[in-house]
Amino acid sequence: MVEHRPWLTFLTHAVLIIGCVIIAFPIYITFVASSHSLDDIVTSFPKLPGNQLIKNYGRALSVGSRDVLGATVGTMMLNSLIMALGITFGKISVSLLAAFAVVYFKFRLRMMFFWMIFITLMLPVEVRILPTYKVASDLKMLDTYSGLIFPLIASATATFLFRQFFMTVPDELCEAVRIDGGGPIRFFFDILLPMSRTSIAALFVILFIYGWNQYLWPLLITTDESYYTLLIGIKRMMDVGEGQAEWNIIMASAMLAMIPPVLVVIFMQKQFVRGMTETEK
Amino acid sequence: MADVSLNDVYKKFGKTEVIHGVSCDIKDGEFIVVLGPSGCGKSTILRMIAGLEVITTGDISIDGKVVNRLEPADRDIAMVFQNYALYPHMTVYKIMAYGLRIRRMPKNEIDKRVRNAARILELTDFLDRKPRQLSGGQRQRVAMGRCIVREPKVFLFDEPLSNLDAKLRVQMLLEIRKLHEDLKITSIYVTHDQVEAMTLGDRLIVMDNGYAAQIGSPLEVYERPATRFVAGFIGSPAMNFLDVRISPDGGSAQLRGDVKLALENGSIPEYAGKDVTLGIRPEHFKLTEEKEGVMHLSVDHVEQLGADTLVHGHFGEDKTSLTVRMSDIQQFKKNTILALKVPSQKLHLFDKESGKRIGK
Ligand SMILES: Nc1ncnc2c1ncn2[C@@H]1O[C@H](COP(=O)(O)OP(=O)(O)OP(=O)(O)O)[C@@H](O)[C@H]1O
Ligand SMILES: [Mg+2]
């Protein structure tokens, strides 16, 4: 497969570079816009970063846009973070336990439960959004963190993934623990959990980004601005009707919204790649 | 240290019965080998003793106490698995200590036992490694170490050497033997390899399709196989089987073509005139003078093994084929005629229908 022909090298690099530019360009524009004053952007769009960077970001974090009252980008980021982490940890722990039950315990209707979980794969949040809203509001979970987190926790994908992984774990390990004197809980925490480390890390990355990017559900369930997530906040900053949206602040917020997922990917990329490619035996 | 007894044990998986009533008393400190071909139920028996499979009917007792309903952990046994089942993310030290930690043994006692076991098994330098950083033989020793530190009443081994190469296998075989002589812990060892069985076992249980075909010392099993199956399974190359008819007085076995073999210690009148199976081990044929020979083997093919020579040939009008083993290097041309005789005490007779041994 590896061929050393100069023009081929040139071509592949050219394709890659063009791809990068296409993807990076909007981000660059956002960055440029977030570093100018509002007047500069509105009158003639500058090509190079300006000198208002610190001022814009400072205002976004501590004050917020004048159109969204009561929520600075700082609090909205915190809300987003709480929601994303809640969904991530919730999904991982629930699906670990569900997969553990389905693989290691014999109980009545086990396969039926498994298929029930599996079938919900076909029902994304959007499909079941009305009944879920009704349930959440009956449980008085509107405008709460639990309302943001719990309805999104059940995860067929992650359950299925862990089930597949557990099925590759040799039965003898479980038997060895039984002979060593440990019960199911010990087996789960001492053996299975550490062995699933890499899969958990990979899922963490995927689920964190999934949680961070939730838009529709938080939009429905929050009316109180102090529970807004950042993504909704940004949308609200743009809905100004007749007035002039504060594009510099919006762009600064958008840049800030990118940071946590990027950090997660950067810090966990090694485990992520390992989790996707190797299974520890 | 304890004796183990199986009392008429049956095992069914769903509707299929795989163990059909096995009974055996294993004495304290004895090394028992369960031997048999693949799929005959060896592992199943071991797993029932360990408590990993439920016993369908019958009792298993350890140290005089019926353990049918006890969890594996409460039976005070330790087991070496075929694939070792070492926890992949733990260090050797932690793997060995794990069972003791669960039992809440004091730290210093755990440390003492682990280090002692590591010293016996020459694992001291590897205590901080993980299983995947060890060779097959070292992993095997860790699996044994995990059992030794527990100081259990009974050791169970399920084909522990089958993943090792031939040389390492012989070495580990001797180590297991030595370990057993030092610790004197009752051991039950499952294998399909007769060399392992003969080397290790004080007694063998030879399994045939869910039945215990014979229980006895290695020599007993070799010299006086209880069934045709055992006779054919033990010994390599396998025993020769011939169709014979017992003479009317019951004192000799008659091969087709007028060849007569006198039977040891007189006669078996109850089989007079009946067809039975005669078994002769390849190593029990003796080369002799032309006129004394009872079988005249025409050589087909010679296999040189170095220490021994295997001669494959046929004799008689129906060209019954035979394998003969001779010591040392022997050269024979194809179609050479060899005169052979067999000492009468080396003849084995088996009932045609039941396959049971005839005579004592
Ligand atoms: N969980 C099970 N369910 C159904 N049948 C089983 C189960 N475990 C074993 N068997 C059957 O029981 C019989 C004995 O199996 P066992 O594992 O004891 O054989 P073995 O003598 O240990 O063979 P090997 O030398 O190949 O390990 C086999 O026919 C097998 O198909
Ligand atoms: Mg087996």
Side-chain angles (χ1 to χ4, degrees), chain A residues 1 4 34 91 97 116 121 136 167 186 212 219 230-231 278:
Chain A
M1 278 298 281
H4 291 286
S34 73
K91 264 186 193 280
L97 288 174
M116 260 167 63
L121 264 180
M167 304 230 294
R186 268 198 180 274
W212 185 264
L219 188 66
L230 186 50
L231 267 61
E278 84 174 28

Side-chain angles (χ1 to χ4, degrees), chain A residues 86-87 90 128 132 141 144-154 217:
Chain A
I87 291 176
R128 53 187 163 87
T132 314
M141 295 211 294
T144 59
Y145 288 126
S146 0
L148 281 172
I149 294 168
F150 286 120
L152 299 177
I153 272 184
W217 181 248

Side-chain angles (χ1 to χ4, degrees), chain A residues 93-263:
Chain A
S93 26
V94 167
S95 26
L96 271 171
L97 288 174
F100 183 52
V102 167
V103 175
Y104 285 96
F105 291 86
K106 291 202 174 68
F107 49 89
R108 242 174 241 260
L109 304 180
R110 179 169 72 137
M111 278 334 267
M112 196 193 85
F113 282 110
F114 173 69
W115 285 110
M116 260 167 63
I117 296 173
F118 193 71
I119 280 170
T120 59
L121 264 180
M122 288 181 256
L123 300 173
V125 182
E126 291 74 12
V127 177
R128 53 187 163 87
I129 204 146
L130 281 177
T132 314
Y133 183 85
K134 171 83 174 114
V135 171
S137 82
D138 286 354
L139 290 174
K140 307 230 171 351
M141 295 211 294
L142 302 182
D143 282 325
T144 59
Y145 288 126
S146 0
L148 281 172
I149 294 168
F150 286 120
L152 299 177
I153 272 184
S155 172
T157 327
T159 308
F160 191 69
L161 208 108
F162 283 125
R163 171 181 178 264
Q164 294 313 91
F165 173 72
F166 289 170
M167 304 230 294
T168 67
V169 173
D171 288 343
E172 283 86 352
L173 286 185
C174 179
E175 292 170 351
V177 173
R178 282 177 71 191
I179 288 179
D180 270 341
I185 300 291
R186 268 198 180 274
F187 173 61
F188 182 72
F189 283 106
D190 290 354
I191 313 294
L192 272 188
L193 212 54
M195 280 180 76
S196 338
R197 216 171 45 235
T198 48
S199 327
I200 292 176
L203 263 180
F204 183 90
V205 174
I206 297 173
L207 294 180
F208 182 83
I209 293 172
Y210 165 88
W212 185 264
N213 287 340
Q214 278 306 312
Y215 179 69
L216 191 55
W217 181 248
L219 188 66
L220 277 178
I221 199 154
T222 55
T223 45
D224 180 346
E225 279 160 350
S226 61
Y227 284 101
Y228 271 12
T229 61
L230 186 50
L231 267 61
I232 302 175
I234 292 174
K235 177 72 171 64
R236 285 293 297 270
M237 291 180 203
M238 286 152 53
D239 294 339
V240 287
E242 299 296 299
Q244 169 65 56
E246 280 189 293
W247 284 107
N248 52 344
I249 304 296
I250 295 174
M251 292 303 169
S253 311
M255 288 306 288
L256 288 170
M258 266 187 275
I259 291 175
V262 167
L263 286 183

Side-chain angles (χ1 to χ4, degrees), chain B residues 13 16 18 37-45 53 82 159 190 192:
Chain B
F13 287 111
T16 41
V18 296
S38 186
C40 66
K42 310 180 295 284
S43 300
T44 308
I45 289 202
E53 298 284 358
Q82 178 169 0
E159 310 206 17
V190 163
H192 58 254

Side-chain angles (χ1 to χ4, degrees), chain B residues 26-269:
Chain B
I26 299 164
K27 293 191 285 289
D28 186 16
E30 204 174 11
F31 200 113
I32 285 274
V33 176
V34 183
L35 179 67
S38 186
C40 66
K42 310 180 295 284
S43 300
T44 308
I45 289 202
L46 198 73
R47 292 165 57 80
M48 284 195 287
I49 298 172
L52 297 171
E53 298 284 358
V54 178
I55 302 159
T56 308
T57 57
D59 296 325
I60 291 179
S61 43
I62 296 176
D63 209 7
K65 199 170 96 193
V66 175
V67 295
N68 287 19
R69 303 202 161 276
L70 289 187
E71 271 292 301
D74 303 325
R75 297 190 182 195
D76 209 358
I77 46 116
M79 180 157 169
V80 179
F81 292 88
Q82 178 169 0
N83 62 6
Y84 315 141
L86 304 178
Y87 312 128
H89 58 286
M90 292 191 192
T91 60
V92 169
Y93 184 96
K94 284 210 176 124
I95 292 172
M96 294 213 262
Y98 188 66
L100 304 179
R101 253 182 42 221
I102 291 183
R103 277 153 226 265
R104 304 197 187 289
M105 188 175 276
K107 275 237 160 55
N108 50 357
E109 173 69 17
I110 295 181
D111 193 64
K112 210 177 81 195
R113 287 201 188 184
V114 170
R115 293 197 184 279
N116 188 35
R119 192 178 45 75
I120 295 174
L121 296 166
E122 292 166 22
L123 285 171
T124 311
D125 296 339
F126 306 111
L127 284 176
D128 293 326
R129 296 226 197 146
K130 299 213 170 139
R132 81 181 111 81
Q133 300 162 316
L134 298 175
S135 73
Q138 289 158 351
R139 282 182 215 182
Q140 212 281 331
R141 289 204 293 256
V142 176
M144 301 220 303
R146 168 161 73 182
C147 296
I148 294 173
V149 293
R150 293 257 319 276
E151 299 178 4
K153 284 184 185 154
V154 185
F155 273 149
L156 305 173
F157 300 86
D158 192 354
E159 310 206 17
L161 305 184
S162 57
N163 290 343
L164 303 181
D165 66 40
K167 189 158 163 247
L168 202 54
R169 197 177 306 174
V170 174
Q171 187 191 333
M172 290 308 299
L173 211 58
L174 297 177
E175 282 187 30
I176 293 177
R177 182 79 247 186
K178 195 167 122 265
L179 207 64
H180 181 252
E181 271 156 23
D182 292 345
L183 303 175
K184 294 261 181 292
I185 291 179
T186 314
S187 304
I188 304 174
Y189 184 107
V190 163
T191 180
H192 58 254
D193 183 301
Q194 42 174 309
V195 177
E196 284 176 28
M198 297 301 221
T199 326
L200 287 173
D202 294 326
R203 280 195 298 160
L204 314 184
I205 302 179
V206 186
M207 295 287 300
D208 175 13
N209 244 322
Y211 295 94
Q214 185 170 10
I215 302 176
S217 72
L219 279 188
E220 257 168 61
V221 171
Y222 175 80
E223 288 185 326
R224 310 189 44 75
T227 68
R228 190 191 146 144
F229 168 82
V230 177
F233 188 69
I234 305 281
S236 161
M239 187 184 268
N240 297 291
F241 291 106
L242 310 167
D243 290 329
V244 295
R245 177 166 291 171
I246 302 297
S247 62
D249 63 355
S252 62
Q254 206 161 352
L255 275 72
R256 251 166 271 161
D258 231 21
V259 181
K260 265 191 192 163
L261 295 166
L263 297 177
E264 194 197 7
N265 310 337
S267 62
I268 38 168

